[in-house]
Amino acid sequence: MRSAVKHIAERALIVSGVAAANRRRMHGRSLVLAYHNVLPPGAASIGDLPNHLPLATFAAQLAALRETHDVVPLAELLTAGAPTSRRPRAAITFDDAYRGAVEHGVPELVRQGLPATIFVAPAFLGGRSFWWDALATRADGLEPALRDRALHELRGDDGAVRAWASAAGRPVAALPSEWCAASEAELLRAAQGGITLGSHSWSHPNLTRLEPDELSRELARPLEWLRERVPIPSPFIAYPYGLHDRTVRLAAERAGYQGALAIDGGWLPAVSPDRYALPRVNVPPGLSLPGFVLRGAGLLTG
């Protein structure tokens, strides 16, 4: 019942013209959309569910975004100069380089002529699964207490989390390939035209829990990996789990990144955004299309 009422309210905001009016007020502003995985029709509901979006939903969101926004490469959002369009700008990003995103999300982006950036943690490439999917045994995804322990006590380290799970007798699922990271070859084939690759650290730890030498390696190694393989890598890093602090931000700047992104936080500030704490608008799988349109109009962020 509550869901039906919410859907009616969302539709009313669109039909009434409130969304369009607010979107016009957002002209010259920019948002970065954060996605993770894209799955084909009939895919199972497994893994950490907030990360996995059906292809049909993704395609509909892209079509809606094209109607209302200027979709540009990520780097263009921070270029100086007065806006030349009366529409807000948007950039599309993916974290983790899931095979599903590469196999299904990228072809849809190409079909609709839209650019995007995929943030990759090279240590996972080649079909490795992620701990948050392998340990998600509940119907609604990963247990919150488990996530908290993994991120903080175990530093978000995949090996440490799996070792703890094994010792604790926790089941660790074997996942289909589309829930795992793409191979290097698959990723590099996808990185053509408007699809660029950026850093998601080397092995996806909680950067705020690392010692200084560990932090430096986690930031430097993926940049080296990217520069050896792609002509023009994205100069941005997406912080694993969206977690950062002043030490991490300063380290990202020293490592040579031109900017760094969180996982949430809404629209980019209109004036002088902190390049090493750039917000994004996360796109969860349960979001209705009207809800997506409202987020793109600056009316809903949660």
Side-chain angles (χ1 to χ4, degrees):
M1 182 65 177
R2 181 178 299 175
S3 177
V5 171
K6 180 181 178 182
H7 183 72
I8 291 170
E10 290 172 344
R11 291 293 304 167
L13 286 171
I14 295 172
V15 172
S16 67
V18 171
N22 203 71
R23 190 166 51 245
R24 286 193 292 271
R25 287 192 288 270
M26 302 295 284
H27 84 273
R29 296 287 304 277
S30 302
L31 77 161
V32 183
L33 298 176
Y35 290 96
H36 290 83
N37 200 12
V38 177
L39 296 174
S45 295
I46 57 176
D48 192 19
L49 298 183
N51 291 328
H52 306 288
L53 191 72
L55 175 58
T57 301
F58 180 63
Q61 290 177 354
L62 295 185
L65 193 67
R66 292 176 63 209
E67 292 292 320
T68 55
H69 292 66
D70 294 331
V71 183
V72 301
L74 177 61
E76 285 191 21
L77 292 189
L78 295 176
T79 55
T84 58
S85 171
R86 298 295 297 175
R87 309 198 314 171
R89 296 188 299 174
I92 298 167
T93 64
F94 286 88
D95 287 2
D96 304 323
Y98 277 100
R99 178 172 279 123
V102 171
E103 288 190 348
H104 305 292
V106 167
E108 185 61 32
L109 286 160
V110 172
R111 188 181 73 81
Q112 299 204 35
L114 299 177
T117 298
I118 301 172
F119 292 107
V120 55
F124 284 90
L125 294 181
R128 285 186 59 185
S129 66
F130 301 99
W131 66 260
W132 52 88
D133 290 317
L135 296 179
T137 57
R138 297 183 358 160
D140 58 349
L142 188 65
E143 180 184 337
L146 193 161
R147 187 190 305 273
D148 186 70
R149 178 190 286 265
L151 289 182
H152 301 290
E153 180 180 330
L154 301 172
R155 309 194 310 168
D157 179 272
D158 192 85
V161 175
R162 289 175 188 267
W164 168 84
S166 177
R170 294 265 185 168
V172 179
L175 295 163
S177 65
E178 286 163 319
W179 281 258
C180 301
S183 70
E184 180 178 321
E186 290 167 337
L187 187 63
L188 295 178
R189 280 197 301 270
Q192 300 181 32
I195 308 300
T196 57
L197 302 182
S199 167
H200 202 31
S201 79
W202 181 258
S203 63
H204 208 291
N206 176 354
L207 298 176
T208 70
R209 305 288 289 184
L210 302 186
E211 296 298 324
D213 58 335
E214 295 176 299
L215 177 59
S216 295
R217 287 195 298 271
E218 281 289 336
L219 295 174
R221 287 186 70 189
L223 268 182
E224 294 170 2
W225 185 93
L226 287 165
R227 288 166 177 163
E228 289 172 356
R229 288 162 175 81
V230 294
I232 307 178
S234 171
F236 294 89
I237 182 171
Y239 296 123
Y241 315 107
L243 298 173
H244 59 94
D245 57 19
R246 185 173 183 274
T247 298
V248 171
R249 293 191 294 273
L250 289 173
E253 184 174 8
R254 286 196 300 269
Y257 295 100
Q258 293 181 20
L261 297 102
I263 194 64
D264 53 19
W267 290 59
L268 293 179
V271 179
S272 301
D274 181 346
R275 282 180 170 264
Y276 297 92
L278 297 170
R280 286 189 284 178
V281 174
N282 189 46
V283 185
L287 185 67
S288 69
L289 186 59
F292 177 82
V293 171
L294 292 177
R295 287 190 185 202
L299 290 174
L300 295 179
T301 58

